Amino acid sequence: MIAADDNCPPLALRTRWHAARTHTLALAAPLSAEDAMLQSMPDTSPAKWHLAHTTWFLEHFVLGADAQPFDPGFARIFNSYYQSIGPRHARPQRGLLSRPSLARVLAYRAHVDDAVDALLDRDALTETRCQLLELALQHEQQHQELLLTDIKHAFSLHPQQPAYRDDLVVSPREVGDCKWRAQVGGDISIGAAAWPGSGCFAFDHESPRHRVWIEPFALAHRAVTGGEFLAFVREGGYRTASLWQSEGWDWIQAQGITRPLYWSEDESSEFTLGGPRAIDVHAPVVHVSWFEAEAFARWAGARLPTEAEWEQAASTLPVAGNFAEQDALHPRCAQRDDNGLAQMFGDVWEWTASAYQPYPGFRALSGALGEYNGKFMSGQLILRGGSCASPVSHLRASYRNFFKPTDRWQFSGIRLARDA
Ligand SMILES: [Fe+2]
């Protein structure tokens, strides 16, 4: 039965889960059935696939043996990467899934949602299933952001550069100079207490909480702006091998990369979810890879923060900023902040210097869910803080995102650090 304690408050969870499922539909609403089929590169997925995959996750992990399968064939095409569950359709070929139709995928969502609601009506969710519903909610939120980043990439390649929405909030401001904020070093603790025992949701790879030694350092009070990155571009940053990691240099040569992902060739405009706009030199630069972030930091005489430094600085700050709820879906100029740190949460995911590795004593979730995070700990870097496309309720100081050093279709940006 549902445990009516603080660890898993059933009404709050049910309300939050309903809101998340409804919000995903709202994100897909501006898309036609044709839009929802687009897959522009192997790393991205069609919106229709996101709608179905999150539903499969609920069906498999929450309903489990109680599921009345909507279509037994869906497991093969909507299982993402869970090898222990069964064979899967190849990820780079998700754009070939013209069947099922978008309408049928939406019917699948309603079918599974009704089945979960029926369990909740009967108070038939065990505490374990309640925890799985929480995990499914968090998973749904991750795919909400991916739905946005993936359709943005697809639309950016359309010759007419269509807007995902033409009513997004735009609020231009002017940003002041970047200032350094001194941070104390010492014997600190980072990470989250293990969920579900802790009562506060965190993914398995955020735990255990553990001690780390950091030296005193300084952190930039805001993210690097488009204007600052434009100076790097115009002063030859992409033509100066000494600024780059060897692998990064080879990559920009091979790919012909000379600017952030969505910048126009003349460096005057950038593609946004609201269509092309003039580059906002006051707002954070966005859609840069780790290699570009690292080269910029070297050019600026600084470095990227480690994830321990970042978390220590963020640990006492409220999780507030420009998130998906602000409905800008694009980073905005930092708010005035005379003494503290701005934009630690929201706007852009901030690349760190840290490789994605297990914390000391890490234990993946048991069963197939152990594949959720624990099998990706090679060749990826940590990003922190969430973005303008992240739901605010999804983020916390200990949250670890991870991508390959060449990935740049996420809302990824830069915050500088330097030694004290
Ligand atoms: Fe997923």
Side-chain angles (χ1 to χ4, degrees):
M1 294 301 129
I2 297 174
D5 59 27
D6 290 342
N7 287 1
C8 190
L11 289 176
L13 174 60
R14 187 173 188 172
T15 301
R16 290 187 293 115
W17 171 69
H18 270 287
R21 293 288 284 172
T22 302
H23 186 59
T24 307
L25 294 178
L27 290 175
L31 305 176
S32 68
E34 292 84 356
D35 295 333
M37 254 203 73
L38 291 172
Q39 182 179 27
S40 51
M41 64 171 170
D43 283 339
T44 60
S45 298
K48 183 171 73 176
W49 187 89
H50 288 299
L51 290 166
H53 162 69
T54 48
T55 304
W56 168 81
F57 192 95
L58 266 174
E59 184 179 47
H60 184 86
F61 289 110
V62 179
L63 295 178
D66 283 334
Q68 303 282 329
F70 182 83
D71 186 323
F74 280 8
R76 187 184 184 102
I77 54 178
F78 298 130
N79 172 0
S80 52
Y81 52 66
Y82 297 91
Q83 306 257 7
S84 56
I85 292 175
R88 296 156 320 287
H89 178 69
R91 177 176 181 158
Q93 295 171 17
R94 290 173 185 165
L96 299 178
L97 296 171
S98 58
R99 311 287 177 89
S101 66
L102 178 60
R104 186 158 164 77
V105 164
L106 295 176
Y108 175 45
R109 283 181 72 90
H111 171 87
V112 171
D113 286 354
D114 287 348
V116 174
D117 264 327
L119 282 181
L120 288 161
D121 285 340
R122 300 201 314 269
D123 281 350
L125 278 197
T126 62
E127 188 168 348
T128 299
R129 268 201 184 147
C130 200
Q131 290 155 3
L132 290 168
L133 186 61
E134 177 71 55
L135 183 64
L137 186 164
Q138 301 286 335
H139 175 253
E140 184 93 17
Q141 291 182 315
Q142 291 183 315
H143 280 274
Q144 288 170 356
E145 181 155 0
L146 292 171
L147 187 154
L148 291 169
T149 56
D150 292 2
I151 198 66
K152 181 175 183 178
H153 188 262
F155 280 177
S156 78
L157 298 174
H158 190 292
Q160 294 176 316
Q161 300 229 297
Y164 160 71
R165 279 176 46 197
D166 56 15
D167 61 342
L168 294 173
V169 175
V170 181
S171 45
R173 294 166 53 98
E174 290 201 4
V175 75
D177 290 342
C178 188
K179 304 181 188 75
W180 291 103
R181 305 295 191 215
Q183 308 289 317
V184 296
D187 184 2
I188 65 163
S189 291
I190 66 164
W195 178 81
S198 64
C200 298
F201 181 82
F203 285 107
D204 53 1
H205 63 172
E206 295 172 58
S207 298
R209 191 162 170 80
H210 61 284
R211 293 166 65 188
V212 180
W213 178 268
I214 58 173
E215 298 294 334
F217 68 104
L219 206 53
H221 93 281
R222 58 161 170 77
V224 170
T225 63
E228 289 161 347
F229 202 87
L230 188 60
F232 168 76
V233 173
R234 296 201 168 150
E235 291 179 25
Y238 283 89
R239 301 190 300 274
T240 309
S242 59
L243 295 173
W244 295 77
Q245 291 290 320
S246 174
E247 194 180 333
W249 179 252
D250 292 346
W251 171 69
I252 64 169
Q253 301 306 306
Q255 300 295 319
I257 289 170
T258 59
R259 57 190 182 277
L261 177 59
Y262 294 128
W263 281 20
S264 62
E265 198 167 350
D266 66 357
E267 298 143 13
S268 66
S269 67
E270 62 182 325
F271 184 71
T272 75
L273 282 166
R277 290 184 196 155
I279 290 172
D280 184 347
V281 296
H282 298 284
V285 66
V286 63
H287 298 297
V288 290
S289 65
W290 183 85
F291 284 131
E292 290 162 291
E294 211 265 346
F296 176 89
R298 187 167 295 120
W299 173 80
R303 61 173 173 81
L304 301 177
T306 67
E307 66 171 325
E309 289 172 337
W310 191 97
E311 186 170 329
Q312 170 71 357
S315 61
T316 57
L317 302 177
V319 181
N322 174 24
F323 285 100
E325 287 77 2
Q326 275 57 49
D327 211 28
L329 301 185
H330 198 69
R332 297 193 302 203
C333 172
Q335 302 291 306
R336 180 181 173 84
D337 190 314
D338 290 330
N339 298 307
L341 296 166
Q343 297 178 312
M344 288 293 281
F345 294 103
D347 284 304
V348 288
W349 288 101
E350 298 177 6
W351 284 109
T352 73
S354 300
Y356 178 43
Q357 292 187 328
Y359 285 161
F362 166 73
R363 292 287 178 274
L365 293 174
S366 60
L369 287 171
E371 297 186 54
Y372 198 119
N373 292 309
K375 68 179 186 181
F376 299 109
M377 293 173 170
S378 69
Q380 309 210 57
L381 281 301
I382 292 285
L383 303 94
R384 294 296 196 118
S387 84
C388 55
S390 313
V392 65
S393 61
H394 188 63
L395 267 294
R396 57 199 156 266
S398 63
Y399 196 102
R400 309 174 82 197
N401 200 355
F402 52 90
F403 280 95
K404 297 190 293 290
T406 53
D407 286 340
R408 54 188 201 153
W409 91 105
Q410 295 300 299
F411 284 93
S412 48
I414 310 166
R415 181 185 301 268
L416 298 177
R418 69 181 185 191
D419 300 333

